[in-house]
Amino acid sequence: VMLPLYFCPNNSIAFRGGDDLFFRLIKRSRHVGQAGDLAFPGGILHESLDSILMKLITGGMIPILRNKAGRLVRKRDALSYRTITLFLANAVREAWEEIGINPFHVHYLGALPPYSLHRHRRTIFPLVCYVNKQQRISTNHEVEYIIDIPLAAFFDAENYASLSTEVDADTNIPGESREVLPCLIYKDGQ
């Protein structure tokens, strides 16, 4: 998945009326699995399409890696470099398909630790990218709507709470069926 960061100069999206960085989430539509979930743009690898896009990225035709983070990725061992650039190609393709992010305006900043979903038996590889040009949003059928959250919202203790979840007994997840997790409460007007 791509965690897209944008800079928003003093306008209606900015937190408390000032300039701010924000990231974009999608609410998954009823037409796809995990309907109603909030997520970053992304999806399952499409080996042939993502391999082609990976070659355009590693060859420099799409300038995502033309920065310090890109230079650091290039210094990694061959397997790590291939893995990161393949998942980056996947995240870029999915972000383009789902919300219209133009790959030529994306700059790779780094990878976050992978996270395994137990219920859906998937592993998420989050990649942080800066999108340097705000563009018109164009969603596809997978997206119900978009939520922009200013990073400043994460630094206000009043925005945090605890969320208690119950896991279905048929999920075969070892351990307790109830979990209490920290969560961010952010009102976006939707």
Side-chain angles (χ1 to χ4, degrees):
V1 300
M2 179 192 294
L3 190 158
L5 292 172
Y6 293 83
F7 177 74
C8 185
N10 194 8
N11 70 18
S12 62
I13 297 172
F15 189 60
R16 296 186 182 153
D19 294 347
D20 205 355
L21 279 174
F22 67 95
F23 68 87
R24 184 160 281 163
L25 290 170
I26 62 170
K27 181 177 180 191
R28 295 175 58 84
S29 78
R30 60 183 167 84
H31 304 290
V32 295
Q34 296 171 256
D37 281 3
L38 296 180
F40 291 113
I44 296 173
L45 269 171
H46 189 291
E47 191 74 34
S48 59
L49 285 177
D50 295 335
S51 292
I52 292 168
L53 187 56
M54 179 184 79
K55 289 177 184 171
L56 294 174
I57 291 170
T58 58
M61 299 248 335
I62 298 175
I64 293 170
L65 296 174
R66 289 187 192 163
N67 58 15
K68 185 175 182 177
R71 287 188 295 277
L72 291 174
V73 168
R74 290 181 192 281
K75 291 180 180 180
R76 309 267 315 231
D77 63 275
L79 180 60
S80 296
Y81 178 67
R82 184 185 187 292
T83 303
I84 291 169
T85 55
L86 179 62
F87 285 118
L88 180 59
N90 169 258
V92 166
R93 178 184 56 78
E94 288 282 348
W96 182 19
E97 289 174 4
E98 291 177 2
I99 59 176
I101 292 178
N102 184 332
F104 290 94
H105 298 295
V106 174
H107 299 277
Y108 173 74
L109 297 178
L112 296 174
Y115 181 79
S116 293
L117 299 174
H118 299 287
R119 185 176 191 151
H120 299 285
R121 291 190 170 94
R122 292 188 180 122
T123 300
I124 297 172
F125 294 91
L127 301 162
V128 182
C129 295
Y130 178 72
V131 182
N132 69 354
K133 185 176 179 185
Q134 182 69 4
Q135 50 212 18
R136 196 174 125 232
I137 298 167
S138 174
T139 62
N140 72 3
H141 72 281
E142 299 177 45
V143 179
E144 185 175 326
Y145 63 85
I146 292 175
I147 300 167
D148 292 316
I149 301 179
L151 291 182
F154 289 92
F155 298 101
D156 186 346
E158 292 181 19
N159 292 336
Y160 285 92
S162 294
L163 174 68
S164 179
T165 62
E166 302 244 352
V167 178
D168 295 336
D170 62 346
T171 59
N172 298 324
I173 299 173
E176 296 184 27
S177 63
R178 186 169 185 265
E179 196 172 14
V180 177
L181 304 165
C183 69
L184 177 79
I185 298 174
Y186 179 73
K187 295 181 182 178
D188 73 336
Q190 293 280 345

